[in-house]
Amino acid sequence: MATPVLVAVIGSGPAGIYAAEALVKQTDGNVRVDVFDRLPTPYGLVRYGVAPDHTSIKSIAKYLQRVLENPAVRFFGCVELGRDLTRADLLDCYDAVVYCTGAMVDRQMRIPGEELPGSIAATDFVNWYCGHPDAADHAFDLSVEEAAVIGVGNVAVDVVRILAKTAEELRATDVPEQVIEALSRSRVKRVHMIGRRGPAQAKFTTKEARELGELENASIHVRPEDMDLDPVSAELAENDRHVRGNVKVLNGWTGEPAAGRARHIDVRFWRAPAEILGTDRVEGLRLERTALDASGRVVGTGEFETLPVGLVLRSVGYQSVPLEGVPFDEQSFTVPNDGGRILGADGSPAPREYVAGWIKRGPSGVVGTNKSDAAETVRHLLADLEGTDTAPKRTVEELLEARGLPVVTYNDWLNLDAAEIALARTLDRGERVKLARWEAMTSACREAE
């Protein structure tokens, strides 16, 4: 292909940036990739989903940064699909479009009382402590003494850990200053982490679980009876390394919890949320004891208990949201596709439109999973374009200028990056402190270094 391929990538998280990298590699650089994001910052969940005290995982941003600094790749921040540019606009300006918008909302539990104040999505809490501008002004009632986190995946473990840590323990991280101040006033003493199934079905990694037992400020306990394994679970624990590691860690927490800690983590398996209690706000959580039936399904036993919690955070899975004009499957919460090729209502590929990441396959895998996923999509994209002449009708620069959109460039982002690093020095806090409010972020983007 003598003429460079022009591709728009929607979303600058790992899936989007890995797609840009695959396009550069698979075309030997004979490409121009424009990466769009509605935020002024790149890196998606690496910036806004990875827990602030997991600095080794956050270092993935340094790898993603090298992709954005490739001359064939450009970053367009503060540009939102459906608001600033339409699907038709993109197809007019590019040979192909790859949607990589991830999974942005929590699934609901669909139980009575879920709408009460104090019942919140874990995503909202994570966005808040990770400095997402949409959550900068969120307020959570941390004056309660007991909280419940529903779910036993890595996100649930992150939320439990943040609630159990002191603000001082988080000062060396990039948590926004207003979040540190709010956490310093927290009165939470007991955090319940609740799973519908047993310990063998827990989704957290052994490394994440182990960290909970290493907190200086919090003791941890699992009821010995919750660790009883049915034959299927026992076989999993014997043959599956991940399950075996989790069960070993959890068994280590069945003894008497350490004394003298300000906070306590209570890990509870075989409990399903049945109802959130309260009149004007959350005052309790009713749980039903569960078991597995002969087919391996979770069923209620009719045995109930109530926890006196004032805060409930649900972490029971993520789902993607539809993109304007793009096909969407309301059952799987993904864009229908075949190896990344978007499929229309009749099942045939939609010309020049592709997906990668969670919106392609659902919320599964780790950050690195997106690399092979994006590479597959790009292989199909380039194969489809081979021998075709798409001839874009206009340039995206013309469109953006005509609409007067204040685009954030990669160099603008570097200004914001520098401002956060400088703020950390001013506050004597770690390597960076995130700016979380839109006005402060966009202002920093416009300032010269």
Side-chain angles (χ1 to χ4, degrees), residues 15-240:
I17 296 181
Y18 283 136
E21 179 186 45
L23 283 160
V24 173
K25 286 184 175 180
Q26 293 185 36
T27 60
D28 292 327
N30 189 33
V31 67
R32 193 190 77 200
V33 187
D34 290 346
V35 180
F36 294 87
D37 204 294
R38 75 178 188 87
L39 299 177
T41 54
Y43 312 136
L45 283 181
V46 171
R47 179 176 167 94
Y48 294 119
V50 174
D53 53 351
H54 280 175
T55 53
S56 61
I57 301 175
K58 294 172 76 68
S59 66
I60 293 172
K62 296 186 184 300
Y63 180 92
L64 302 178
Q65 175 182 341
R66 292 198 293 270
V67 179
L68 289 181
E69 290 178 347
N70 188 292
V73 180
R74 301 188 298 179
F75 175 68
F76 290 77
C78 288
V79 179
E80 183 174 350
L81 178 65
R83 182 194 68 185
D84 303 317
L85 292 175
T86 67
R87 177 190 186 193
D89 289 335
L90 293 170
L91 292 172
D92 278 353
C93 295
Y94 295 94
D95 296 316
V97 182
V98 186
Y99 303 101
C100 308
T101 50
M104 297 180 285
V105 297
D106 278 79
R107 292 180 183 270
Q108 293 187 322
M109 297 183 292
R110 304 190 186 282
I111 61 173
E114 192 170 7
E115 75 290 344
L116 284 169
S119 167
I120 61 176
T123 298
D124 290 341
F125 191 68
V126 171
N127 283 343
W128 174 69
Y129 68 65
C130 283
H132 195 293
D134 289 348
D137 294 316
H138 285 188
F140 302 97
D141 187 0
L142 300 178
S143 68
V144 302
E145 292 194 355
E146 296 196 34
V149 178
I150 313 300
V152 285
N154 281 343
V155 173
V157 172
D158 286 345
V159 170
V160 169
R161 196 176 62 256
I162 296 299
L163 286 170
K165 280 192 168 185
T166 63
E168 191 59 34
E169 288 178 288
L170 294 168
R171 278 195 60 81
T173 72
D174 60 10
V175 169
E177 187 69 5
Q178 64 266 28
V179 174
I180 291 289
E181 293 171 0
L183 290 174
S184 70
R185 297 189 295 270
S186 173
R187 295 177 58 191
V188 174
K189 294 181 180 179
R190 180 178 291 265
V191 184
H192 305 271
M193 185 166 70
I194 297 163
R196 294 175 65 246
R197 294 176 178 267
Q201 289 78 33
K203 298 298 184 184
F204 49 66
T205 63
T206 303
K207 179 179 181 295
E208 289 264 2
R210 193 178 292 117
E211 288 178 358
L212 284 183
E214 298 170 349
L215 297 178
E216 296 180 3
N217 188 56
S219 58
I220 190 165
H221 186 248
V222 180
R223 286 161 176 74
E225 61 269 26
D226 283 2
M227 292 302 299
D228 291 340
L229 301 180
D230 60 273
V232 173
S233 297
E235 184 178 354
L236 273 175
E238 183 178 347
N239 299 318
D240 187 301

Side-chain angles (χ1 to χ4, degrees), residues 207-388:
K207 179 179 181 295
E208 289 264 2
R210 193 178 292 117
E211 288 178 358
L212 284 183
E214 298 170 349
L215 297 178
E216 296 180 3
N217 188 56
S219 58
I220 190 165
H221 186 248
V222 180
R223 286 161 176 74
E225 61 269 26
D226 283 2
M227 292 302 299
D228 291 340
L229 301 180
D230 60 273
V232 173
S233 297
E235 184 178 354
L236 273 175
E238 183 178 347
N239 299 318
D240 187 301
R241 180 180 178 184
H242 166 242
V243 175
R244 185 167 61 251
N246 281 355
V247 169
K248 180 179 179 180
V249 170
L250 293 166
N251 272 323
W253 298 340
T254 57
E256 192 69 25
R261 307 286 177 89
R263 290 173 178 159
H264 179 73
I265 300 168
D266 187 19
V267 184
R268 305 168 73 89
F269 294 105
W270 304 114
R271 307 291 195 285
E275 183 180 4
I276 297 175
L277 307 173
T279 304
D280 299 318
R281 59 158 294 106
V282 173
E283 297 174 4
L285 175 65
R286 192 166 183 247
L287 300 173
E288 182 177 14
R289 182 82 183 187
T290 61
L292 296 181
D293 66 12
S295 64
R297 293 183 307 164
V298 175
V299 294
T301 64
E303 179 185 340
F304 292 89
E305 63 179 306
T306 298
L307 301 179
V309 301
L311 182 65
V312 175
L313 301 99
R314 69 177 185 273
S315 180
V316 294
Y318 292 106
Q319 63 189 47
S320 297
V321 296
L323 300 172
E324 186 174 313
V326 180
F328 193 74
D329 184 338
E330 297 286 354
Q331 299 299 314
S332 65
F333 298 102
T334 60
V335 172
N337 71 94
D338 179 12
R341 294 181 173 102
I342 292 180
L343 302 178
D346 62 355
S348 61
R352 304 192 289 127
E353 292 186 285
Y354 303 83
V355 283
W358 280 3
I359 200 167
K360 170 186 174 183
R361 68 181 190 277
S364 62
V366 295
V367 172
T369 308
N370 292 293
K371 190 166 189 174
S372 57
D373 178 284
E376 176 192 54
T377 293
V378 168
R379 283 195 300 272
H380 290 159
L381 180 158
L382 295 175
D384 294 344
L385 291 183
E386 190 68 41
T388 65

Side-chain angles (χ1 to χ4, degrees), residues 47 62 65 174 413-435:
R47 179 176 167 94
K62 296 186 184 300
Q65 175 182 341
D174 60 10
W413 147 246
L414 291 180
N415 289 338
L416 170 55
D417 182 56
E420 292 183 339
I421 293 170
L423 180 59
R425 288 196 297 268
T426 300
L427 297 172
D428 192 24
R429 282 189 52 199
E431 294 183 5
R432 94 169 46 241
V433 172
K434 285 178 183 170
L435 295 173

